């Protein structure tokens, strides 16, 4: 059996019940096979792939807190410190009821390659909890965050592990987490990114993932002689990534006509009103029904459905496995030109393959959504310098980083005779740098 197949089998057997981690592992392993097979015995002897697929450390802890009725609640907290070959562990925290170790490991594993692609010195990690911030009061969210950090603080640090936001963790949560870290550690350091602008946050971090997605998508379209101007765009999600993807798509002349949350979706043929969407989601924390009520041109539908809308470009920006084979077939039948992932692993492997087989340009999340973590690394740099850069400075660096990622991904794909296979290109380019750093640092 080939070394790659052996490792896929062993890791899956040793980590039962972690479906999303298995999926992420398979996708990476299948596409780096060509690199490993150039030097298979060397990789096998050094157990390079086993070391890559086993986190350096994984932490699981109890998070007790008191709700507004005086009832004690208990959640589970996680931090998976996956790989520190190229820098301190870096990656977000997700607060969502679906969180379990398999989800955190899939996200942490993806983060290793994504962070490598940014060209910045950051390793891979991820954490979170099955806590659901939805419907909780600010005091309850604060109580949870303080309890979560009371355990987490001993494992993280500005040069060790730097968490940030992800689903369910935005500016409010990062603020509470930072406050408790500072109190417990008696030090004011850049231990989290995505902080508020008055206490060390970077301008453009809020916008970075969505803007970066569009910078990457635009670079990919241009390389394939497609102009984004005038294109109809279907977006899923209505959170941090989706909102700023919609905003930048409009600035580039595209026309986003959909968004969604976990209860329903909006079709707005006039184009999404991004100011209204921000008001509904960022300020009032309401459902998308409130958007439809405030806007005459918008239709609201219950359940899933954004991929049924005829579009030129699809941007899945909500969550994992939200674009299935059936959706890919509908998109292709409707003439989609490109799919670019804003979320982490939103497209199943079967759907990805179907899109690629039908010549749809496909941008994998670990490349196309890397703008968020890249700007987090820029926030770390500013904190270390005790300086703040302007919005324009950060945004320009972000744009350059995304265009470089696209160029490196496209070049890696071509080098291995897989022209335009950006999934393979991203995995190969990300993998090679991590492997070189791991090899140079010996058996650790
Ligand atoms: P938010 O919490 O801000 O928004 C998430 C959005 O997706 C919400 O509209 C939410 O709806 C919807 N959603 C979440 N889970 C589900 C689900 N199970 N089914 C249907 N809809 C769902 O998160 P972000 O925008 O930050 O994150 C979105 C994706 O982007 C995630 O995959 C994340 O890992 C990825 N990402 C985020 C980065 C960042 O910087 N924030 C960076 C790179 C990737 P509802 O509110 O109803 O739950
Ligand atoms: O998935 C991701 O890259 C993020 N949630 C952002 C991580 C970060 O450290 O900014």
């Amino acid at each position: 059996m080939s070394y790659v197949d052996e490792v896929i089998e062993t890791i899956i057997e040793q980590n039962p019940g972690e479906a999303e981690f298995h999926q992420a592992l398979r996708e990476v392993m299948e596409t780096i096979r060509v690199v490993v097979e150039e030097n298979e015995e060397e990789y096998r002897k050094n157990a390079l792939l086993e070391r890559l697929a086993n986190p350096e450390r994984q932490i699981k802890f109890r998070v007790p807190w008191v709700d507004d009725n005086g009832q004690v609640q208990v959640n589970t907290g996680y931090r998976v410190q996956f790989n520190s070959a190229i820098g301190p562990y870096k990656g977000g925290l997700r607060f969502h009821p679906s969180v379990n170790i398999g989800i955190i490991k899939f996200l942490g594993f993806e983060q290793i390659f994504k962070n490598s692609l940014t060209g910045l010195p950051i390793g891979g990690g991820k954490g979170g909890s099955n806590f659901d911030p939805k419907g909780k009061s600010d005091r309850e969210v604060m109580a949870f965050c303080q309890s979560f950090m009371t355990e987490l603080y001993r494992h993280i640090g500005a040069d060790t592990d730097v968490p940030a936001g992800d689903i369910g963790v935005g500016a409010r949560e990062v603020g509470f987490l930072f406050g408790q870290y500072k109190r417990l550690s008696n030090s004011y350091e850049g231990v989290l990114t995505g902080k508020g602008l008055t206490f060390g946050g970077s301008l453009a971090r809020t916008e970075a993932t969505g803007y970066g997605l569009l910078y990457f998508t635009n670079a990919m379209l241009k390389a394939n002689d497609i102009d984004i101007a005038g294109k109809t765009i279907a977006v899923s999600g209505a959170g941090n990534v989706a909102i700023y993807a919609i905003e930048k798509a409009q600035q580039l002349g595209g026309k986003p006509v959909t968004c969604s949350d976990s209860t329903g979706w909006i079709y707005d043929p006039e184009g999404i009103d991004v100011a209204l969407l921000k008001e509904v989601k960022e300020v009032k924390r309401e459902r998308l029904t409130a958007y439809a009520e405030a806007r005459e041109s918008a239709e609201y539908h219950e359940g899933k459905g954004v991929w049924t809308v005829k579009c030129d470009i699809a941007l899945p920006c909500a969550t994992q496995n939200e674009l299935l084979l059936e959706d890919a077939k509908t998109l292709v039948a409707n003439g989609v030109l490109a799919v670019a992932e804003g979320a982490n692993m939103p497209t199943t492997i079967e759907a990805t393959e179907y899109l690629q087989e039908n010549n749809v340009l496909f941008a994998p999340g670990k490349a196309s959504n890397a703008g968020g973590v890249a700007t987090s690394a820029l926030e770390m740099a500013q904190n270390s310098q005790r300086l703040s850069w302007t919005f324009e400075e950060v945004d320009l660096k972000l744009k350059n980083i995304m265009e470089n990622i696209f160029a490196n991904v496209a070049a890696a794909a071509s080098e291995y005779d897989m022209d335009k296979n950006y999934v393979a290109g991203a995995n190969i380019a990300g993998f090679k740098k991590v492997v070189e750093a791991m090899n140079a640092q010996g058996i650790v």
Side-chain angles (χ1 to χ4, degrees), residues 223-243:
N224 289 279
D225 300 318
I226 301 170
D227 190 347
I228 195 170
K231 295 290 183 293
T232 300
I233 305 177
V235 179
S236 66
N240 174 262
V241 180
I243 289 172

Side-chain angles (χ1 to χ4, degrees), residues 237-303:
N240 174 262
V241 180
I243 289 172
Y244 293 94
I246 290 169
E247 183 167 285
K248 183 53 74 178
Q250 287 174 347
Q251 289 172 11
L252 295 173
K255 189 177 183 193
V257 293
T258 67
C259 61
S260 65
D261 63 17
S262 54
T263 45
W265 60 284
I266 293 286
Y267 173 53
D268 192 340
E270 300 281 300
I272 297 290
D273 178 341
V274 80
L276 175 61
L277 186 61
K278 285 183 188 175
E279 176 72 16
V280 168
K281 285 294 175 184
E282 294 185 334
V283 183
K284 296 186 174 155
R285 296 180 188 274
E286 284 179 336
R287 307 276 79 206
L288 282 174
T289 42
Y291 178 97
E293 278 158 22
R295 182 137 162 115
E296 210 171 316
S297 57
E299 292 171 16
Y300 176 80
H301 302 268
E302 289 285 324

